[in-house]
Structures are given as C-alpha cells and as structure tokens.
Amino acid sequence: MQKKKIIVAVTGASGSIYAKLLLDNLKLLSAQVERVGVVMSDNAKEVWRFELGNQAYDDYPFDFYQKMDFHAPFASGSAKYDTMIIVPCSMGTLGRIAHGISNDLISRAADVILKERRKLIAVARDTPFSLIHINNMKAVTEAGGIICPANPSFYSLPKTIEEVAQTVVSRVIDLAGLEQESYRWSE
C-alpha cells in the first residue's frame, strides 16, 4: 500500500472529540501515512479548549500550519496530498467550499483537493440542517466531495463517549482508505 499524505482541517464547529480521535488514530496508523498536515481555525482551538479542557492539539507529531499560510504545501495541487478530512466541518466552512471561496488555508486546500479530483471528506457537525446547508452539501458532493455527518452508530454497543465518537472516526478512516481494526457489522 502506498503511504498517504493527509490534510486534517479542524473548524470551530462543536465536536472537537472527533478531531482529537482522528489525530490519535492517524498517529497509530503512521505506517500507512507519509505525512499529515494540520490546519485549525482560531475558533477550532477555542472550542477544543472549551470542550476537551486542554490544548493537546499542540502535542501531535504532525506538520501544523496557520489558517492564512498559503505557503503550506497543500495550498497547491503539486504537493500531491491524497485526502483532506475536515473534522468537524462547520456549515460556514462547507458553504465557502461549496461556492469556491478560498479565503483561508482550509477553503483553499479543499478547493485544491476538489480540482485535482482527490478525496475530500467533510464531517459535518450541525443539526438540524437548513435547506442552505443541504444545498451546500449537494454542491460539494457533486464536485466530488464526501459528506460524512458526525452521526454515530450504536450497533457496536459503545460504552463511553469516546467509543461513540470513535464510530464516526472509524468510518472516516475507512473512507480515507486506511486499514484499521474496528467493529464491523456481522463479523
């Protein structure tokens, strides 16, 4: 298996636990990953501190980029990043991506991934959805993106909030094409 180059974008939507678990999992799957580039919005850091009570996002062994750093390698298709995961994906970020507004590194990287026909996975974290949200999801899907709402499953009988959130993260990891041990229906 060829190692993957992955962009992880964290926006200010509620659901920092999903970002944390994804980063934890990517660290464990390092044999399958060549590089992980991470960009967090200012609100993402604030929400992380509020929801998780720490700044553990500083502790990961990945390449971190500022939200306006258009010199980041994945701001260009020539860097050949395979996959971009936006987790959690705010509706504002999704709307900017759907309409081709590249006003920060997150939206620019998503634009690059879509134009290069690579894999964009947006873990939408909002409820309920307005018609505007649904139409933005439709536009991103039609452009080649994958909308993976942060809707956990319960057939694995999760016992903790981390296990519930991991059901979403496991699905995201599968969508990214990485091999992992996780609960599989009827196996």
Side-chain angles (χ1 to χ4, degrees):
M1 175 192 290
Q2 182 178 346
K3 287 187 167 191
K4 297 193 177 291
K5 291 168 74 174
I6 299 173
I7 306 157
V8 175
V10 186
T11 74
S14 179
S16 299
I17 190 168
Y18 297 113
K20 179 197 178 301
L21 289 172
L22 178 64
L23 294 173
D24 290 345
N25 280 250
L26 289 175
K27 197 163 83 170
L28 294 173
L29 298 171
S30 63
Q32 299 176 56
V33 178
E34 178 182 335
R35 172 171 279 151
V36 176
V38 181
V39 59
M40 298 179 73
S41 71
D42 294 336
N43 286 342
K45 292 175 183 178
E46 185 176 325
V47 172
W48 182 303
R49 287 189 298 266
F50 179 77
E51 291 182 348
L52 302 179
N54 62 52
Q55 288 182 230
Y57 51 81
D58 286 330
D59 300 335
Y60 289 94
F62 304 129
D63 301 323
F64 279 78
Y65 298 90
Q66 297 300 312
K67 69 176 185 166
M68 297 307 289
D69 184 359
F70 288 90
H71 294 287
F74 48 84
S76 170
S78 65
K80 296 189 119 181
Y81 276 73
D82 310 285
T83 304
M84 179 175 187
I85 303 165
I86 308 172
V87 58
C89 183
S90 70
M91 290 299 109
T93 299
L94 187 70
R96 286 186 292 282
I97 294 166
H99 295 280
I101 299 168
S102 297
N103 65 341
D104 63 9
L105 183 55
I106 294 173
S107 53
R108 171 60 186 165
D111 191 38
V112 166
I113 289 289
L114 290 174
K115 80 178 181 68
E116 297 290 332
R117 308 296 192 267
R118 296 184 185 137
K119 193 172 284 188
L120 173 68
I121 303 164
V123 182
R125 218 311 307 146
D126 210 335
T127 190
F129 297 131
S130 73
L131 183 56
I132 293 168
H133 299 155
I134 292 167
N135 285 331
N136 288 337
M137 289 181 204
K138 179 178 183 270
V140 169
T141 301
E142 289 174 340
I146 299 170
I147 305 300
C148 180
N151 296 339
S153 62
F154 296 92
Y155 48 75
S156 62
L157 305 177
K159 305 282 187 273
T160 66
I161 191 166
E162 288 80 13
E163 288 176 356
V164 170
Q166 183 63 43
T167 67
V168 173
V169 173
S170 291
R171 183 58 58 96
V172 169
I173 290 169
D174 286 349
L175 288 169
L178 298 169
E179 297 295 324
Q180 66 167 342
E181 294 281 332
S182 67
Y183 182 87
R184 305 290 177 190
W185 179 250
S186 294
E187 287 186 9

